Amino acid sequence: MSSVTPAIVSEKNSDDLSDQTLIHIEKLNAWYGDFQAIHDLSLEIPKHKVTAFIGPSGCGKSTLLKWINRMNDVVPGARAKGRLTIDDDHQGQRKEIDVLDPNLDVVGLRRKVGIVFQKPNPFPKSIYDNVAFGPRLHMKTSKSELDELVEWSLQKAAVWDEVKDRLHGPALGLSGGQQQRLCIARAIAVGPEVLLMDEPCSALDPSSTLAIEDLIFELRSQYTIVIVTHNMQQASRCSDKTAFFFEGRLIEAGNTEQVFTKPKNKQTDDYVRGKFG
Amino acid sequence: MSTLPSAIVNQDEQYLVDNARRRKQLSIWFYFLCVAIALISVVILVVLMVSIWSQGQSRLTTDLLTRAHSELEIERSGMWPAILGSLFVCGTCALVALPLGVGTAVFLEEFKPTQKVLRWIHGFVQLNIANLAGVPSIVYGLLGLTVFVYMFNVFGQIRVNESAGMEIMGYKHFYQVLTLEPGHVVFAPQTDPTVRQITFDEPFQAVDPDGNPIEISIWTPGTPKPTDPEIRRRTVRSGAIGGTITERNWYYFRLPFDKSFLSGGLTLALVILPIIIIAAQESLRGVPSSLREASMGLGATTWQTVRDVSLPAALPGIMTGSILAMGRAIGEAAPILVVMGAAVAKSSGPQHLMDDAVTMPVLIFNWAGRQQDEFKELSAAAIIVLLVILLLLNSTAIYIRQKVQKAQS
Ligand SMILES: Nc1ncnc2c1ncn2[C@@H]1O[C@H](COP(=O)(O)OP(=O)(O)OP(=O)(O)O)[C@@H](O)[C@H]1O
Ligand SMILES: [Mg+2]
């Protein structure tokens, strides 16, 4: 699998993208106070695929991303209307999580839908405590189980080899790229199904960026990944589906290969060729 | 080249060099100015220390630390009750002000409401705290006087030498009565608290000063007086008058609080509360919001985020603010004078919750205003002790803070 380039994989799977949809967004409108940041947006996010959000600054990519796990709850004046649901396989039974339901258990939602931010934000604690933070909130684990979980998460996030000798050293002593992978490990450790990443590489140097892109490519066999990026190469390199936004509206969404080579929309064409934005 | 503005093109090389040298010189001058200003404050401090030391050093004896204030033996006067009193008052103050202050700061910073009305209330509280920080401490003294000392007189008036107000627990009233043996008293339990005095003319049950129950008989003048001291101690003259006396346990509790150390501590808590709130808010604000987002993003509740992320990260700052505030509390005299009075005769620390106390600043204030040279020297010596205690408190707190800081990074 890892030897195949993403573009080929997505072409092969392009037909069944729709019936494996995990996140359904229908006619979503979102506001900050009186300012409408998202207009009538409908989008389907496929399961176990990487979906990239692209678009010029301020077009609402982060806003949409944060609504998927309700991080906007704490923003005063932020509200949304429309439908945003996530499929949930609860003990073999198909259920739907209505994300915008005001009575939803947000804590449970966020365990299912993890988020990684633009700037690495490890806690000022040890590396171990960073990764164990989420599990300690949600699960009842023995010391040895927790050790195992921490190691597994760090290995998944491809930083284990670099930190295994200083697990109890400060997380802030790591390099930016290592910190970002630590943050991914921290997000993985609670066992999410979806990983939201808001420009995860924008604060990193090219080699760390490459390491994270490889990681994203590895992770998508088990996780549904949504990544916001300003880097067109990155979007084309590591995503299966691409959605292009402009001024709060979805302009075009589809198979990454198609969006980048034969966009249906003129604006998309201009943007992916770097003519504006 | 021709497109460059003339200001850049027509440069006078000599001017550039001169200007750079002038600016460098100015910078050096400014450096010396800063050093001088810093030195002035150090010098003032040193002069103060030296003068206090030279005045008080001869009185730094064990008497000062172990004995009480005395009008008769001035040269053997001490400040032990005042040290205890200050510790009790400041302890109360810390116990009340720290949790309240940090709690308020957490509420204001971490539980920002999203609804409009609540946001308005939130802003109102915030504005008032900023205003309260600027209120002179003597005003808090007057507030403490009405709120804690008198409690608006709703529980009855306080009268001198009488247990007044509403007694809640930790007390026992007795009638104290003289027996035939000179200097020996017994206590009869008081049944009706409104009767302050009774007359004994029938045998009754009582306890002796050691707390043993005894049967008391009555001697009527005219009949033969008992001679055995044992019996005389259990006999009371007919018509003897018993006055009320109250025994108080350490947890004796009464409303209103009167001029007790509790009132003083609570008033000081009011004085330093805004300082603690503002300091704690400031350090909570300094915690990057990205850390809170990380915690929330992992599914932590607001409370878990506060407990595990915001508070630990803000703790060093909160502690610094609290240390400064406690330093202020321990040296504060004005509100204490208003609330607890200026009496310094007390010979021990507080014995129960409602007991009064002397504090170090009040004692120093009293001594410094006396005519006798001994008292003047004593007050200088007491200032040295106060400073040392303050330094000790501060350095332990700083030590703890450093430990916390190290454990975090
Ligand atoms: N907390 C907020 N309060 C008010 N307006 C906001 C807030 N956050 C974002 N906005 C506005 O919503 C719009 C969309 O913002 P958003 O952060 O989603 O853009 P973005 O596509 O992620 O941009 P970028 O690529 O620069 O990160 C912008 O116009 C922004 O000004
Ligand atoms: Mg953004």
Side-chain angles (χ1 to χ4, degrees):
Chain A
M1 190 77 151
S2 55
S3 61
V4 193
T5 66
I8 294 169
V9 174
S10 49
E11 209 165 48
K12 211 167 63 186
N13 294 341
S14 62
D15 291 331
D16 45 55
L17 272 183
S18 54
D19 51 55
Q20 281 184 318
T21 302
L22 184 75
I23 304 173
H24 309 259
I25 303 167
E26 259 174 66
K27 292 214 175 339
L28 184 77
N29 289 280
W31 292 264
Y32 291 106
D34 296 330
F35 173 74
Q36 184 160 9
I38 292 179
H39 300 263
D40 262 338
L41 195 147
S42 300
L43 178 68
E44 305 199 314
I45 293 171
K47 188 170 182 174
H48 290 184
K49 293 274 152 49
V50 179
T51 303
F53 289 180
I54 59 171
S57 194
C59 67
K61 307 177 297 288
S62 300
T63 306
L64 178 61
L65 198 73
K66 285 195 210 151
W67 271 113
I68 298 178
N69 78 344
R70 292 268 298 268
M71 285 303 285
N72 274 324
D73 278 13
V74 289
V75 181
R79 63 207 160 82
K81 276 214 183 77
R83 265 184 80 69
L84 204 178
T85 58
I86 301 177
D87 284 352
D88 185 23
D89 263 330
H90 191 66
Q91 291 160 348
Q93 257 191 324
R94 251 178 78 111
K95 270 180 43 187
E96 248 183 12
I97 305 175
D98 180 4
V99 174
L100 300 183
D101 177 4
N103 300 322
L104 178 78
D105 162 31
V106 186
V107 166
L109 171 73
R110 289 182 187 150
R111 198 179 62 72
K112 281 212 169 57
V113 185
I115 187 162
V116 176
F117 297 90
Q118 178 170 3
K119 260 177 64 191
N121 55 356
F123 299 122
K125 302 173 190 276
S126 71
I127 293 167
Y128 183 97
D129 286 338
N130 262 275
V131 182
F133 185 89
R136 281 177 179 148
L137 292 176
H138 298 285
M139 312 165 195
K140 202 169 162 258
T141 50
S142 67
K143 175 87 178 71
S144 61
E145 280 175 320
L146 194 61
D147 288 349
E148 190 194 329
L149 177 58
V150 168
E151 178 176 346
W152 178 84
S153 309
L154 287 167
Q155 258 166 358
K156 276 262 155 203
V159 275
W160 172 252
D161 290 332
E162 286 148 85
V163 302
K164 63 169 185 269
D165 299 323
R166 44 169 167 160
L167 278 182
H168 295 282
L172 292 176
L174 296 173
S175 77
Q178 290 170 331
Q179 287 186 11
Q180 192 64 304
R181 276 176 286 156
L182 174 66
C183 290
I184 295 175
R186 185 175 67 182
I188 291 172
V190 291
E193 282 161 28
V194 182
L195 273 182
L196 308 173
M197 301 191 182
D198 195 349
E199 303 180 40
C201 304
S202 65
L204 305 181
D205 69 293
S207 70
S208 306
T209 301
L210 226 59
I212 297 215
E213 281 177 19
D214 284 346
L215 174 61
I216 291 170
F217 190 61
E218 286 292 316
L219 289 177
R220 68 186 193 141
S221 58
Q222 280 157 46
Y223 301 93
T224 302
I225 295 174
V226 183
I227 176 170
V228 172
T229 177
H230 281 289
N231 182 332
M232 292 307 113
Q233 281 89 43
Q234 185 170 63
S236 63
R237 268 197 306 262
C238 68
S239 75
D240 303 295
K241 180 171 180 170
T242 298
F244 171 62
F245 299 86
F246 186 67
E247 291 182 348
R249 291 186 167 80
L250 178 70
I251 303 300
E252 182 165 355
N255 182 318
T256 298
E257 165 98 343
Q258 174 252 309
V259 170
F260 277 92
T261 55
K262 317 186 268 287
K264 294 179 184 129
N265 188 290
K266 173 82 172 56
Q267 267 176 319
T268 319
D269 195 34
D270 287 349
Y271 186 73
V272 297
R273 286 161 189 272
K275 284 198 186 149
F276 81 97
Chain B
M1 206 55 181
S2 57
T3 54
L4 282 175
S6 64
I8 295 178
V9 181
N10 309 331
Q11 278 301 329
D12 177 354
E13 282 301 320
Q14 192 52 44
Y15 176 79
L16 279 182
V17 174
D18 287 351
N19 185 32
R21 210 187 46 231
R22 242 198 337 271
R23 284 183 297 146
K24 229 180 271 170
Q25 223 152 31
L26 206 64
S27 173
I28 292 170
W29 277 113
F30 185 70
Y31 169 76
F32 281 120
L33 185 71
C34 290
V35 171
I37 291 173
L39 277 182
I40 287 176
S41 49
V42 174
V43 166
I44 292 177
L45 192 70
V46 168
V47 168
L48 202 75
M49 293 295 231
V50 168
S51 85
I52 288 175
W53 177 257
S54 64
Q55 275 181 64
Q57 148 260 10
S58 62
R59 293 280 165 194
L60 281 176
T61 56
T62 45
D63 276 354
L64 181 75
L65 291 178
T66 53
R67 290 175 54 91
H69 168 84
S70 162
E71 300 285 344
L72 304 172
E73 281 183 287
I74 298 178
E75 55 298 346
R76 293 200 65 200
S77 272
M79 61 185 299
W80 176 237
I83 294 175
L84 282 180
S86 270
L87 287 183
F88 273 87
V89 169
C90 292
T92 314
C93 169
L95 281 181
V96 174
L98 292 182
L100 269 185
V102 176
T104 311
V106 166
F107 164 72
L108 287 173
E109 282 304 311
E110 305 283 327
F111 292 86
K112 292 221 167 93
T114 40
Q115 283 119 309
K116 207 156 192 174
V117 185
L118 291 180
R119 273 228 297 277
W120 188 84
I121 297 175
H122 198 267
F124 185 72
V125 172
Q126 181 70 69
L127 182 72
N128 276 298
I129 286 165
N131 287 336
L132 283 176
V135 171
S137 59
I138 193 142
V139 178
Y140 285 105
L142 290 171
L143 180 70
L145 196 66
T146 38
V147 176
F148 303 124
V149 176
Y150 297 127
M151 293 196 172
F152 312 102
N153 285 337
V154 287
F155 301 106
Q157 214 124 15
I158 301 275
R159 268 156 284 152
V160 178
N161 289 338
E162 264 184 37
S163 45
M166 197 166 89
E167 300 190 293
I168 293 173
M169 59 178 187
Y171 65 95
K172 273 191 207 121
H173 291 314
F174 296 96
Y175 295 117
Q176 186 185 34
V177 63
L178 285 167
T179 58
L180 294 185
E181 182 73 13
H184 197 84
V185 291
V186 291
F187 305 98
Q190 187 181 28
T191 41
D192 184 353
T194 57
V195 182
R196 319 287 316 170
Q197 271 189 3
I198 57 166
T199 315
F200 293 102
D201 30 42
E202 280 166 25
F204 60 97
Q205 279 288 335
V207 288
D208 66 10
D210 300 327
N212 306 314
I214 41 171
E215 193 76 38
I216 304 291
S217 42
I218 300 290
W219 168 73
T220 327
T223 59
K225 211 172 179 177
T227 47
D228 179 4
E230 261 312 300
I231 298 180
R232 288 165 66 99
R233 274 187 212 141
R234 287 194 271 110
T235 311
V236 163
R237 193 174 56 85
S238 168
I241 290 172
T244 305
I245 187 163
T246 306
E247 182 196 287
R248 288 167 180 153
N249 289 322
W250 69 264
Y251 53 87
Y252 169 60
F253 195 76
R254 169 200 62 199
L255 296 171
F257 291 159
D258 201 3
K259 295 181 176 303
S260 58
F261 79 86
L262 209 58
S263 294
L266 290 171
T267 308
L268 281 190
L270 291 183
V271 175
I272 66 168
L273 198 53
I275 306 177
I276 292 185
I277 294 174
I278 288 173
Q281 262 189 295
E282 213 55 64
S283 44
L284 282 171
R285 229 174 276 158
V287 178
S289 59
S290 64
L291 292 185
R292 291 189 190 98
E293 279 175 4
S295 166
M296 303 290 266
L298 288 168
T301 59
T302 314
W303 159 237
Q304 284 171 323
T305 304
V306 169
R307 189 194 58 194
D308 296 341
V309 179
S310 312
L311 267 187
L315 202 60
I318 293 178
M319 288 189 63
T320 311
S322 308
I323 296 166
L324 290 176
M326 287 313 298
R328 162 117 192 246
I330 208 168
E332 192 69 77
I336 293 290
L337 281 171
V338 175
V339 167
M340 297 169 61
V344 293
K346 195 162 172 64
S347 60
S348 66
Q351 302 298 307
H352 54 79
L353 285 182
M354 296 296 136
D355 207 357
D356 50 3
V358 194
T359 64
M360 289 188 272
V362 170
L363 186 68
I364 292 169
F365 170 75
N366 183 299
W367 280 351
R370 295 302 193 92
Q371 291 299 314
Q372 298 93 323
D373 282 341
E374 286 94 335
F375 277 134
K376 290 226 163 69
E377 289 165 18
L378 276 170
S379 89
I383 288 174
I384 296 172
V385 173
L386 178 61
L387 285 178
V388 167
I389 291 178
L390 212 70
L391 284 179
L392 279 179
L393 286 182
N394 281 6
S395 37
T396 29
I398 289 169
Y399 176 75
I400 296 172
R401 187 185 66 195
Q402 230 106 46
K403 281 223 132 164
V404 171
Q405 227 159 6
K406 205 173 274 170
Q408 259 181 37
S409 57

